[in-house]
Amino acid sequence: MTSIAALYRDRDFLPLRTRALFTFGAVAALHAAAVVLLLAGTADGGGQPLTWGLFLTAYLAGVKHSYDWDHLAAIDNSTRKFVAQRQDPVSVGFAFSLGHSSVVTLAGVLVIAGASLVGGLMQDGSAGNLVLGLIGSGVSGLFLLAMGLFNGSAFVRSAGAYRRARNGAAVEPRDLEPQGAVARLLARPLSRVRRPRNIYVIGFLFGLGFDTATTIGLLMMTTAASLAGVPPFALLALPVAFAAAMTLCDSVNGMAMLRMYRSALDAPRRKLGFNALVTGISAVSALFIAVITLGGFLHAALSLDDPVTEWLGSVDLGDAGLLLVALLLAVWAGAALKGKAFRTQ
């Protein structure tokens, strides 16, 4: 235990590969816990087909939920912030999804325990649903707005440096970092987000809204399975499987974003345009989602009846996340192919 505590204290000085192994080791532990709970719940042989089907459904729900656009934007923009500050944040995706799935797991445990409170929180229009929804949307909207503006400052600087570099000017490392009035203005609000582990709290607050069909569907499925007589251990396996799938996908996404942004900083002259483009996409996506989220927040909080905030509150970003991933990976692949062609000339 002493050696583990020492490793944790010195984690910032560990090699990137070692920290990545610890992160994915934690993801593997969540998967193992889900399987153990499932096997314990089906040890008597009763209801195995139904239980295994529910387990697979919960796991796939976690995969789908990890690609919600607002979650991707939070992980992407947070990773960009840390990389710009010369950190190697291997666990941003893991910390965010663990915080988010903690809410789902806790709610699932309460459902299994027979707490009627969770059922009330899932009902649209109830006081609990409204309060938690306002917390979740308010925090996510403000966080994405701050991150979008922070990375927008980096985009302005890197785009300017790219134009100067094309005219023969030297590239300074600070040209790739967020600076200027906007970055200084946001330095204090974002000062507490100094390490990837701080993103856990952001993920937890994101999850309080119970605002996605995937989350509500999982909890309703757990409720129905409980009423159908599925054993308690097997029921516990459902939210844990959801958490395992989401942490896996979000950890992979966070590592991909880290590699993408590090590659932009490792060879700034050749990849300056790539850095500007990817940073711009990240900033715009965060600002776009912040507008939608905060518009829905104002519509619910102030009981507005105008068509603009009503439409913003009804937008579902759950199916659009893959578009953001595809766009970022396409830019990354294009930059890699261009760099390879450049080296072979």
Side-chain angles (χ1 to χ4, degrees):
M1 291 298 294
T2 303
S3 60
I4 293 176
L7 280 175
Y8 181 78
R9 286 195 301 268
D10 298 334
R11 62 195 176 280
D12 292 337
F13 303 101
L14 294 175
L16 187 144
R17 186 185 297 273
T18 302
R19 288 184 285 123
L21 286 174
F22 275 112
T23 297
F24 284 98
V27 173
L30 274 175
H31 281 74
V35 172
V36 168
L37 287 170
L38 178 65
L39 294 177
T42 56
D44 59 357
Q48 283 194 5
L50 170 63
T51 305
W52 280 92
L54 292 174
F55 182 86
L56 180 60
T57 302
Y59 190 87
L60 293 177
V63 173
K64 181 182 183 299
H65 194 63
S66 69
Y67 288 101
D68 281 4
W69 195 328
D70 54 343
H71 294 194
L72 288 169
I75 295 169
D76 177 30
N77 280 266
S78 300
T79 301
R80 177 66 181 84
K81 173 185 180 291
F82 290 130
V83 171
Q85 296 171 343
R86 296 300 189 270
Q87 298 184 48
D88 293 324
V90 300
S91 57
V92 169
F94 175 78
F96 180 89
S97 60
L98 188 64
H100 190 280
S101 58
S102 294
V103 177
V104 179
T105 303
L106 177 60
V109 170
L110 292 176
V111 165
I112 295 167
S116 60
L117 172 65
V118 177
L121 296 178
M122 290 188 293
Q123 293 178 1
D124 288 334
S126 66
N129 182 271
L130 178 60
V131 170
L132 291 182
L134 290 176
I135 293 174
S137 59
V139 169
S140 60
L142 290 175
F143 180 75
L144 289 172
L145 178 63
M147 281 296 181
L149 293 174
F150 184 85
N151 288 326
S153 174
F155 167 72
V156 171
R157 291 188 64 84
S158 58
Y162 177 64
R163 288 193 299 268
R164 292 192 297 273
R166 293 186 62 181
N167 293 327
V171 179
E172 299 291 339
R174 62 186 180 86
D175 288 334
L176 301 175
E177 300 178 6
Q179 295 181 14
V182 174
R184 288 195 297 271
L185 180 66
L186 294 172
R188 188 174 183 84
L190 296 176
S191 62
R192 295 192 179 275
V193 186
R194 290 176 291 187
R195 292 288 186 273
R197 63 180 179 273
N198 301 139
I199 302 299
Y200 173 89
V201 178
I202 302 297
F204 187 90
L205 294 173
F206 264 53
L208 286 178
F210 293 101
D211 57 345
T212 65
T214 307
T215 302
I216 294 175
L218 172 70
L219 296 177
M220 293 181 66
M221 180 178 69
T222 304
T223 303
S226 177
L227 295 175
V230 174
F233 279 121
L235 290 174
L236 284 173
L238 301 183
V240 176
F242 180 91
M246 191 160 62
T247 54
L248 174 62
C249 295
D250 282 344
S251 297
V252 170
N253 175 52
M255 288 295 296
M257 294 302 104
L258 170 62
R259 184 175 179 184
M260 183 183 299
Y261 289 124
R262 285 188 71 200
S263 68
L265 295 180
D266 289 342
R269 181 182 293 277
R270 180 167 54 82
K271 298 181 179 179
L272 193 57
F274 160 71
N275 180 71
L277 181 57
V278 174
T279 304
I281 293 173
S282 299
V284 169
S285 67
L287 293 173
F288 172 69
I289 298 166
V291 169
I292 292 176
T293 305
L294 292 176
F297 171 85
L298 293 174
H299 179 75
L302 303 179
S303 300
L304 302 177
D305 58 359
D306 64 288
V308 176
T309 58
E310 183 179 1
W311 177 78
L312 290 174
S314 66
V315 173
D316 181 10
L317 296 170
D319 297 327
L322 291 176
L323 295 177
L324 179 59
V325 173
L327 181 59
L328 290 170
L329 290 180
V331 173
W332 188 16
L337 292 174
K338 186 176 180 180
K340 184 177 181 180
F342 178 81
R343 289 192 298 269
T344 57
Q345 289 179 355

